[in-house]
Amino acid sequence: MAKGATKASQRMDSFLAMQSGRSDLWREALTAAQNWVAGLATRANIEGRISGLAVLEEFHAYPGMRLMGLLRDKISADEAAVAADLIRRFSDTILSGANPDRGDAEDDGDVLAELLPTVVSGREARRPYFEVLMVSPQAASRWPAIAAEMRRLRRPEDAFVYEPVIVGSFEDAFCAAVVNPKILAVIVAEGVPFRSKHEAPVLRSILDSAIGDLPTEASALKLASILKGIRPDLDVYVTTDREVEKLASDPAASSVRRIFYAVEELLEMHLAVLEGIQARFETPFFDNLKRYAQRPIGTFHALPIARGKSVFRSEWIRDMGEFYGMNLFLAESSATTGGLDSLLEPTGNIKKAQEMAARAFGADHVFFVTNGTSTSNKMVVQALVAPGDIVIVDRNCHKSHHYGLVLGGGQPLYVEAFPLTAYSMYGAVPLQTIKKALLNLRDEGRLDRVRMLDLTNCTFDGHMYNTRRVMEECLAIKPDLIFLWDEAWSGFARWSPFLRPRTGMGAAAAIEEWLLDPASVAAYEKQQKQLGPKPSTQKLLATRLIPDPRKVRLRVYQTNSTHKSMSAIRQGSMVLVKDVDFGSVQSQFREAVFTHASTSPNQQLIASLDVARRQMELEGYGLVMNAISIALKIRAIIKSHPVISKYFSVLGANDLIPDEFRQSGFVDYLKPGATWADAVRSMREDEFYLDPTRMTLVCGTAGFDGTQFKGLLANRFNIQVNKTSRNSVLLQSNINNTRSDIAHLVRVLVEICGEIEERLKSGGAGTREAFAARVKSLMQDVPDLPNFSRFHDAFRGKAGKLTNEGDMRTAFFMAYHEKSCEYVPLNSPDVNQRLQKGPPLVSANFVIPYPPGFPIMVPGQVITKETIDFMRKLDVKEIHGYDAARGLKLIKQTKTGRSR
Ligand SMILES: Cc1ncc(COP(=O)(O)O)c(C=O)c1O
């Protein structure tokens, strides 16, 4: 590799950004080539750049080895203008993402004809394109012939078209699968060597850190399982000329889609590859809905809008029809037959679509939900928690969990996340806190009443749990504990090899594998011996506990707002289930679906869930990689920009996660010298990891509070951001973001900073003092965040001394009787008096200020001075459950001090 290129790609962000980094490298090469044409640069310069790109290009079908060879020839022959023209064509095609399929050009020996991608025009234009990685032990000189042979197999009736990418080693195969998201299938031949012929230190370090223990021998099955571990979306095929039956019966062959006997099966292989793609491309519900929309259907049913007649024939609402287009109305239906299916009782294409989603998301079952994750959470809580069951739950979790508990009668045992007071937000709940709650319950003999641990992953601000560790340690204390991971924001994480292990399903898969490993029992027993017969609570808290694999019942639920991070229409959500005892709760689960799901679910929403799954299975890997790389770019630009960095910053891992939870010592992505290996270690080991796509942009230092800045971005610059805090806004990069979005954001921030600078310069000392005072107030005069206090004794039921679970449901319904309630104005002296002398102030309802969006009061909770102080300092307009005109709604106390 050229010196410059190696250095650049050693930075971890450039690895994560390998895809967009590639087009940057080509653009830089183009500039160098144009300079060479103009006599401003030397041939050596352009040679260096092209050799820097060569290794990366071996992992892509286009331009491919022959065109790269041609380019090198032109450079050696000093044909500067021709070389620059070639580079421009390559660069344009790569940058535009145009389908680079070259048809049969290579076969007739016309190398230059390859330059014009046939799919830009012609019949291939609409066929989805992908690349197939072939891992071959044959000499590299044979590869062009193999590729040509593969191309000859194409038939006009093929639904998709692909180009082969051929590599000759285990390492190269891994690197190609990592850096080229267009690769969707891999054909591995037995007998390839392990090490790459390249000296590619960056790629090697990626490989070494990702594989861990390097295999001594490069078996095709080992490579297949490593590739599936990194990219479960890949179809992997193995070819062998040895004992094909023996290979097929090896348990390791489970990650392989098909095993072929050597080369004589070439056409079969081609068909199998296309069939594998078709199996992901198929969208059973959407496909049927499209067919349904084409049929001439008369309706004597509800939903007059269906078929659009009431719209298109109307003088007055026709514009709606014109705006949305005919298909929306043709696809509207209240039918559950005639090619459609029932979401409440699926037996046909919705059932199949859900099964395909389960495969894609690594779950046993998936349920589509059309009322958002707000509903998904309530469904899961109702299905699994009976009245009186204890649920250990993050107090900062979304209100749907709290309301789910009220409805079902589950008793919340609130656990606190670590506070990030400086930014008026919370982090996530430390494992020690969760273990302590479980051990307290154990000590008080109430472990049997604990049903579920309910956490948000990732949190609004990007904290991802070490889901595997949390589940393992909790299962060591209570082997049948159920886990609900609210992954409303992070459904996309499944498609990132870095984030996936930190999802509920990713960790469940790892634990499932661990449970089957005989070494696990030995590890458990060894730890038991070390702990001794009656280990103290302190010792258990200090030990990384191993569960007893023979006792564990792995029961994991995950909800995601598909609409928040994938291409689903708003409110599209999924419940993912991996529960060995699902059979025992299935009927309750159906009841919960019946309770919460609309009997008129929206067809377009269901279709979009089906399509979102298809997209993620076919291009999710590249899209998520892009979202991460965009986030890292934004972080880097804001940090390094001379003007923006004076007023704004994006919080790093070190700002949002206290040191004690970053055990690996990882500081942040942007710390000078941070390497890829550091990040991988942090992802694997740290208690919390920061999802890079969630960027907390501090705006208090520019004199804006979060709400004000959000409004400014939206109203003046058409930039919508996620949520706000007192002194920050949250930016979220997504699968739809492009580098133009980064450019727009940067330009806007520069403009805003310019205005601040101008104001400070021209406004005199008074303006500067006012600005400094405003910044100080936003950044330093921040209210302390109130912890959950306790439930009033009247609502503690059978709670013990050590834990604070409560009967929130009784308190909630008490508020239905006006006579049981009273109102006290927040700022009245009455409040102060009662805080000092009693009777205690007991909240009658949830009070949820936005931001921060978590309940600072729940029904039955005793209100403390900290909560009142916090509320009095709150400067937000939206406080759900609080009527400023009437004051705090409280449950009245009887003379004996008991709640009525
Ligand atoms: C953590 C969390 N869970 C659940 C939800 C609700 O999801 P939905 O908007 O899909 O109903 C949200 C919404 O913001 C959320 O932040």
Side-chain angles (χ1 to χ4, degrees):
M1 268 195 186
K3 231 173 161 198
T6 308
K7 219 167 156 199
S9 40
Q10 254 161 354
R11 292 202 332 256
M12 55 195 273
D13 57 326
S14 58
F15 162 67
L16 286 165
M18 203 70 101
Q19 270 318 104
S20 55
R22 182 181 172 224
S23 48
D24 286 348
L25 291 175
W26 276 106
R27 281 283 153 202
E28 286 163 17
L30 179 59
T31 309
Q34 285 164 341
N35 286 341
W36 183 31
V37 172
L40 302 171
T42 60
R43 189 178 82 188
N45 183 300
I46 187 77
E47 274 171 344
R49 289 186 182 275
I50 296 304
S51 74
L53 270 162
V55 176
L56 191 56
E57 287 312 320
E58 283 189 18
F59 305 138
H60 294 86
Y62 181 86
M65 286 165 69
R66 284 184 61 171
L67 284 178
M68 287 298 282
L70 177 72
L71 174 60
R72 267 192 294 263
D73 290 348
K74 298 293 172 195
I75 295 172
S76 314
D78 267 332
E79 293 185 39
V82 179
D85 187 48
L86 282 174
I87 294 174
R88 184 183 53 74
R89 289 167 188 244
F90 300 164
S91 170
D92 286 352
T93 307
I94 290 166
L95 192 67
S96 69
N99 183 341
D101 169 51
R102 291 161 292 169
D104 299 329
E106 221 164 5
D107 297 338
D108 58 21
D110 180 4
V111 174
L112 277 173
E114 294 175 32
L115 289 173
L116 231 192
T118 56
V119 277
V120 171
S121 58
R123 71 181 160 73
E124 312 281 26
R126 289 183 58 85
R127 287 205 276 184
Y129 168 86
F130 65 101
E131 294 177 6
V132 174
L133 178 65
M134 302 186 74
V135 193
S136 166
Q138 303 222 26
S141 56
R142 279 268 307 135
W143 294 355
I146 298 174
E149 220 173 324
M150 290 304 284
R151 279 190 208 107
R152 271 197 294 275
L153 296 168
R154 288 181 188 167
R155 303 160 320 141
E157 57 270 41
D158 291 345
F160 316 104
V161 61
Y162 65 85
E163 275 288 325
V165 175
I166 307 179
V167 295
S169 74
F170 197 105
E171 282 188 333
D172 289 337
F174 177 87
C175 293
V178 168
V179 302
N180 181 353
K182 284 210 157 97
I183 291 174
L184 294 185
V186 188
I187 301 171
V188 187
E190 273 284 30
V192 287
F194 183 80
R195 281 284 183 208
S196 164
K197 64 181 189 310
H198 295 296
E199 218 11 84
V202 177
L203 297 178
R204 184 153 292 150
S205 77
I206 295 164
L207 182 72
D208 291 352
S209 56
I211 293 183
D213 297 332
L214 292 178
T216 46
E217 141 202 355
S219 101
L221 291 185
K222 179 78 187 165
L223 177 57
S225 82
I226 286 172
L227 291 177
K228 290 291 274 187
I230 290 286
R231 287 187 55 184
D233 54 309
L234 291 174
D235 288 334
V236 184
Y237 303 89
V238 166
T239 65
T240 177
D241 52 9
R242 276 171 263 163
E243 296 163 279
V244 67
E245 302 79 7
K246 197 165 156 229
L247 207 60
S249 60
D250 188 324
S254 61
S255 50
V256 173
R257 192 173 161 88
R258 255 187 89 173
I259 297 176
F260 290 100
Y261 185 60
V263 272
E264 67 202 49
E265 308 269 13
L266 218 48
L267 179 62
E268 275 295 293
M269 214 139 68
H270 170 74
L271 295 175
V273 165
L274 293 181
E275 189 192 58
I277 301 300
Q278 180 62 43
R280 285 183 261 167
F281 187 80
E282 194 191 341
T283 33
F285 182 78
F286 177 55
D287 298 345
N288 264 300
L289 189 63
K290 281 192 291 183
R291 277 195 286 276
Y292 175 90
Q294 302 311 322
R295 284 167 38 197
I297 289 171
T299 54
F300 291 96
H301 201 339
L303 202 70
I305 206 170
R307 320 299 297 173
K309 287 187 211 159
S310 71
V311 176
F312 286 99
R313 282 198 202 137
S314 162
E315 277 297 313
W316 303 104
I317 63 167
R318 197 181 307 133
D319 60 331
M320 179 196 185
E322 282 155 6
F323 179 72
Y324 284 112
M326 190 57 164
N327 276 341
L328 175 70
F329 303 97
L330 292 177
E332 274 294 282
S333 171
S334 52
T336 53
T337 51
L340 300 174
D341 195 2
S342 159
L343 184 66
L344 295 177
E345 200 77 78
T347 53
N349 44 55
I350 293 185
K351 181 167 185 278
K352 194 158 173 225
Q354 292 184 152
E355 284 164 4
M356 290 173 80
R359 174 194 69 199
F361 281 88
D364 294 339
H365 310 279
V366 163
F367 295 89
F368 288 172
V369 179
T370 59
N371 317 70
T373 298
S374 305
T375 298
S376 301
N377 289 334
K378 280 180 264 190
M379 281 178 182
V380 177
V381 170
Q382 175 179 324
L384 303 174
V385 179
D389 284 351
I390 296 173
V391 175
I392 300 178
V393 54
D394 177 0
R395 201 256 314 219
N396 308 303
C397 66
H398 187 257
K399 62 185 179 186
S400 49
H401 301 267
H402 306 276
Y403 282 107
L405 290 167
V406 164
L407 296 178
Q411 301 211 346
L413 194 170
Y414 286 120
V415 279
E416 294 290 345
F418 57 82
L420 293 161
T421 311
Y423 306 104
S424 287
M425 58 174 84
Y426 275 96
V429 184
L431 179 53
Q432 290 287 310
T433 307
I434 299 167
K435 280 169 73 178
K436 185 87 173 50
L438 280 169
L439 291 169
N440 282 342
L441 288 157
R442 182 200 64 171
D443 293 345
E444 292 189 334
R446 282 180 295 122
L447 208 48
D448 60 320
R449 281 186 47 214
V450 183
R451 182 76 167 160
M452 190 158 89
L453 173 65
D454 186 351
L455 297 172
T456 307
N457 183 54
C458 65
T459 64
F460 227 124
D461 305 292
H463 301 90
M464 295 193 90
Y465 282 84
N466 189 331
T467 42
R468 179 172 180 177
R469 181 166 176 190
V470 169
M471 292 200 279
E472 283 180 351
E473 292 217 41
C474 289
L475 289 169
I477 302 171
K478 182 165 172 65
D480 60 352
L481 188 65
I482 302 175
F483 300 91
L484 169 54
W485 296 102
D486 176 347
E487 301 193 355
W489 292 105
S490 52
F492 75 98
R494 164 88 189 154
W495 280 272
S496 160
F498 317 119
L499 303 181
R500 189 185 317 115
R502 287 186 173 257
T503 64
M505 286 300 133
I511 295 176
E512 197 177 37
E513 204 180 313
W514 179 85
L515 290 174
L516 294 172
D517 184 348
S520 307
V521 174
Y524 166 75
E525 281 175 346
K526 185 168 166 217
Q527 184 173 76
Q528 286 302 302
K529 243 190 220 147
Q530 282 162 355
L531 286 171
K534 274 208 160 176
S536 68
T537 299
Q538 253 353 79
K539 196 164 185 185
L540 290 173
L541 285 174
T543 306
R544 178 167 184 159
L545 298 175
I546 300 175
D548 183 347
R550 294 156 301 192
K551 290 201 181 132
V552 165
R553 309 295 305 165
L554 191 60
R555 312 192 65 182
V556 185
Y557 291 74
Q558 179 180 327
T559 53
N560 80 60
S561 292
T562 322
H563 68 99
K564 289 197 204 295
S565 69
M566 292 167 267
S567 297
I569 294 174
R570 196 158 159 83
Q571 290 193 13
S573 168
M574 296 188 196
V575 175
L576 317 185
V577 181
K578 197 168 187 67
D579 178 357
V580 286
D581 291 327
F582 187 66
S584 68
V585 292
Q586 202 160 6
S587 61
Q588 310 151 207
F589 202 91
R590 283 163 55 122
E591 291 292 352
V593 171
F594 294 154
T595 308
H596 295 281
S598 162
T599 42
S600 308
N602 184 291
Q603 309 285 10
Q604 321 321 322
L605 258 158
I606 303 170
S608 77
L609 287 169
D610 202 11
V611 172
R613 186 274 309 150
R614 179 211 284 176
Q615 178 177 42
M616 295 315 279
E617 274 200 301
L618 290 165
E619 53 182 349
Y621 175 76
L623 292 173
V624 171
M625 193 75 113
N626 183 55
I628 295 176
S629 93
I630 295 239
L632 291 173
K633 277 208 164 75
I634 292 175
R635 286 168 181 272
I637 292 174
I638 291 178
K639 190 178 169 98
S640 61
H641 193 284
V643 182
I644 300 179
S645 61
K646 274 164 78 176
Y647 299 100
F648 294 97
S649 57
V650 175
L651 298 182
N654 49 331
D655 300 305
L656 287 171
I657 303 173
D659 290 357
E660 74 230 61
F661 304 122
R662 285 180 281 111
Q663 292 88 341
S664 72
F666 180 70
V667 176
D668 186 47
Y669 311 99
L670 301 185
K671 182 179 175 238
T675 67
W676 172 241
D678 298 335
V680 170
R681 207 172 326 111
S682 170
M683 288 167 202
R684 287 208 186 117
E685 295 171 15
D686 287 351
E687 182 160 349
F688 299 112
Y689 184 76
L690 183 66
D691 171 0
T693 68
R694 305 189 70 75
M695 293 161 276
T696 300
L697 177 72
V698 178
C699 54
T701 37
F704 299 106
D705 67 52
T707 315
Q708 197 183 9
F709 193 59
K710 182 178 176 170
L712 176 73
L713 290 179
N715 301 334
R716 251 185 78 191
F717 299 104
N718 286 327
I719 293 178
Q720 296 289 346
V721 300
N722 202 298
K723 65 133 209 185
T724 60
S725 83
R726 179 174 169 80
N727 46 25
S728 71
V729 295
L730 183 76
L731 309 177
Q732 179 189 344
S733 70
N734 226 320
I735 61 167
N736 64 341
N737 284 118
T738 62
R739 297 182 65 196
S740 311
D741 297 333
I742 307 182
H744 182 46
L745 176 70
V746 169
R747 200 194 57 75
V748 165
L749 291 179
V750 169
E751 191 174 328
I752 293 171
C753 291
E755 287 172 12
I756 299 172
E757 301 239 289
E758 183 50 41
R759 201 158 22 95
L760 294 180
K761 204 164 79 187
S762 59
T767 307
R768 285 191 290 278
E769 271 161 32
F771 180 79
R774 170 84 175 139
V775 170
K776 181 174 173 295
S777 145
L778 290 169
M779 300 305 297
Q780 288 173 26
D781 305 339
V782 283
D784 274 339
L785 296 171
N787 275 350
F788 177 77
S789 52
R790 62 184 172 88
F791 283 106
H792 187 268
D793 285 347
F795 306 112
R796 277 172 56 78
K798 293 186 189 135
K801 285 201 174 68
L802 298 173
T803 58
N804 69 7
E805 73 270 20
D807 175 11
M808 192 159 70
R809 184 178 207 233
T810 303
F812 180 88
F813 285 109
M814 212 172 235
Y816 278 33
H817 304 285
E818 275 297 316
K819 275 200 219 136
S820 314
C821 299
E822 60 183 328
Y823 290 85
V824 186
L826 179 64
N827 291 313
S828 77
D830 239 22
V831 169
N832 302 349
Q833 180 133 351
R834 282 180 66 174
L835 283 175
Q836 279 174 15
K837 300 195 176 134
L841 305 160
V842 180
S843 183
N845 53 1
F846 288 104
V847 176
I848 309 177
Y850 281 88
F854 60 85
I856 55 170
M857 296 173 203
V858 307
Q861 179 185 338
V862 174
I863 302 170
T864 55
K865 181 172 177 312
E866 290 71 35
T867 308
I868 295 293
D869 287 348
F870 182 77
M871 257 201 105
R872 284 178 177 166
K873 279 193 195 167
L874 265 182
D875 47 8
V876 300
K877 289 196 189 78
E878 209 180 320
I879 305 179
H880 296 183
Y882 173 67
D883 178 352
R886 300 184 79 183
L888 296 168
K889 186 172 180 182
L890 305 174
I891 295 174
K892 261 191 206 156
Q893 306 289 296
T894 61
K895 288 208 175 68
T896 59
R898 306 241 350 130
S899 290
R900 253 202 264 236

